[in-house]
């Protein structure tokens, strides 16, 4: 008969758990919120910070720039047309002294309209155009118009495209099939054709351009929202909400939407420079903002006509528009990396 006496454990049967690593857990990092983590990761990216600073600076100048001197964006003085840039405080350094080199068929010569006409106290920081209008004031007024159009169009497109894509992806089936066929038809028509026809039929202006961009720029946002919905609608939290009796639109806009806000924000930031370029192109070809109002595109168009004789007139709006588009792309790229958890360790 086997010995069934209870086994008495001894000290050598046990081993202490090595929990030294548990003391190294960063409780502060583990406890911080998602948006705080996004904020920290965004500001670690130098290019994104530079883009944000440039956007803020240009926006500030778009607000206060037109009021920094006595000129208006539409005020004309033909006796002071085609004056080169002049900043009195910088004349002693040999720059921005109001002189320019004119190239003619017989050669080139340097002229200074300020001294020729005895206007020693007058200064145009960016120069004046063919009608004697201040380019500084018109540049920042045009930047203001372009920013308003681009941001308004992007926000409206976000609302339309996001709602369309979320509803299409959530209901699926025949609803999704019909909505996607409508989207393909809308996307099959060239956007430039739609915008051009609208601007030819309607009265040109800021609201018309916003309306035209609203009809054409929502397709990309819709596709992103639909893809995210298809990925999330079978998740456990959605099934739990449906089990508890939540309505369809409550689930769409209160449960799913907060979980896809990252890609939505990123797409909005990428769509703003596209809207700026589209508006500038329309204004450049004469289908944009009507005179005497101005935008960056119309200023570039006006400066292009005088590019060979007075190249300084086209430089300010081109630089401002290029910086705006570059800055929004840098910010969007930074937000994409900061909002994507998969890129956290990259």
């Amino acid at each position: 008969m086997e010995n069934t006496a209870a086994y008495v454990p001894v000290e050598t049967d046990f081993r202490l758990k090595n929990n030294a690593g548990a003391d190294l857990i960063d409780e502060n990092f583990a406890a911080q919120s998602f948006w705080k983590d996004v904020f920290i990761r965004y500001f670690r990216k130098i290019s994104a910070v530079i883009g944000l600073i440039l956007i803020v600076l240009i926006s500030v100048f778009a607000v206060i720039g037109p009021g920094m001197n006595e000129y208006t964006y539409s005020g004309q003085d033909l006796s002071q047309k085609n004056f080169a840039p002049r900043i009195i405080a910088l004349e002693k350094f040999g720059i921005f002294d109001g002189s320019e080199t004119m190239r003619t068929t017989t050669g080139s010569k340097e002229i200074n309209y300020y001294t020729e006409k005895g206007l020693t106290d007058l200064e145009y920081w960016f120069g004046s155009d063919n009608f004697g209008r201040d380019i500084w004031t018109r540049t920042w007024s045009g930047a203001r118009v372009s920013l308003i159009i681009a941001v308004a169009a992007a926000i409206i497109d976000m609302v339309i495209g996001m709602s369309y894509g979320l509803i299409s992806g959530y209901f699926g089936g025949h609803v999704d099939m019909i909505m996607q066929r409508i989207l393909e038809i809308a996307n099959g028509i060239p956007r430039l054709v739609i915008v051009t026809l609208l601007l030819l039929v309607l009265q040109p202006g800021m609201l018309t351009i916003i309306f035209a961009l609203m009809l054409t720029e929502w397709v990309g946002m819709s596709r992103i929202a639909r893809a995210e919905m298809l990925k999330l609608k079978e998740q456990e939290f959605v099934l739990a909400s449906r089990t508890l009796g939540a309505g369809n639109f409550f689930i769409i806009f209160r449960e799913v939407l907060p979980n896809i806000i990252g890609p939505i924000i990123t797409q909005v930031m990428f769509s703003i420079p596209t809207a700026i370029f589209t508006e500038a192109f329309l204004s450049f070809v004469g289908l944009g903002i009507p005179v005497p109002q101005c935008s960056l595109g119309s200023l570039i168009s006006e400066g292009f006509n005088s590019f060979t004789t007075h190249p300084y007139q086209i430089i300010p709006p081109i630089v401002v528009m290029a910086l705006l588009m570059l800055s929004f792309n840098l910010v969007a790229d930074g937000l994409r990396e900061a909002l994507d958890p998969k890129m956290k360790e990259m």
Side-chain angles (χ1 to χ4, degrees), residues 90-166:
L90 299 178
E91 281 185 330
K92 59 183 178 180
F93 299 105
I95 57 175
F96 294 103
D97 57 357
S99 61
E100 63 172 325
T101 301
M102 295 288 294
R103 293 178 176 83
T104 63
T105 55
T106 58
S108 61
K109 64 176 181 178
E110 186 173 294
I111 59 174
N112 191 318
Y113 290 127
Y114 297 93
T115 56
E116 288 183 7
K117 297 185 179 182
L119 302 173
T120 56
D121 295 331
L122 184 68
E123 59 180 341
Y124 286 103
W125 298 333
F126 284 171
S128 62
D129 63 8
N130 292 328
F131 297 96
R133 296 172 298 192
D134 179 41
I135 298 178
W136 167 277
T137 304
R138 289 177 62 77
T139 297
W140 297 120
S141 296
R144 180 192 301 175
V145 171
S146 296
L147 277 172
I148 292 174
I149 291 175
V151 174
I155 292 175
I156 295 173
D157 291 335
M158 177 192 70
V159 174
I160 296 175
M162 179 183 64
S163 302
Y164 193 94
L166 288 176

Side-chain angles (χ1 to χ4, degrees), residues 11 18 91 121 161 182 231:
E11 184 176 356
N18 183 14
E91 281 185 330
D121 295 331
I182 295 174
K231 184 172 64 176

Side-chain angles (χ1 to χ4, degrees), residues 59-85:
S59 300
V60 169
F61 275 105
V63 174
I64 67 173
M68 293 179 65
N69 52 35
E70 68 276 13
Y71 306 108
T72 62
Y73 71 88
S74 60
Q76 301 182 15
D77 189 345
L78 295 178
S79 65
Q80 298 176 9
K81 64 179 182 179
N82 297 326
F83 278 35

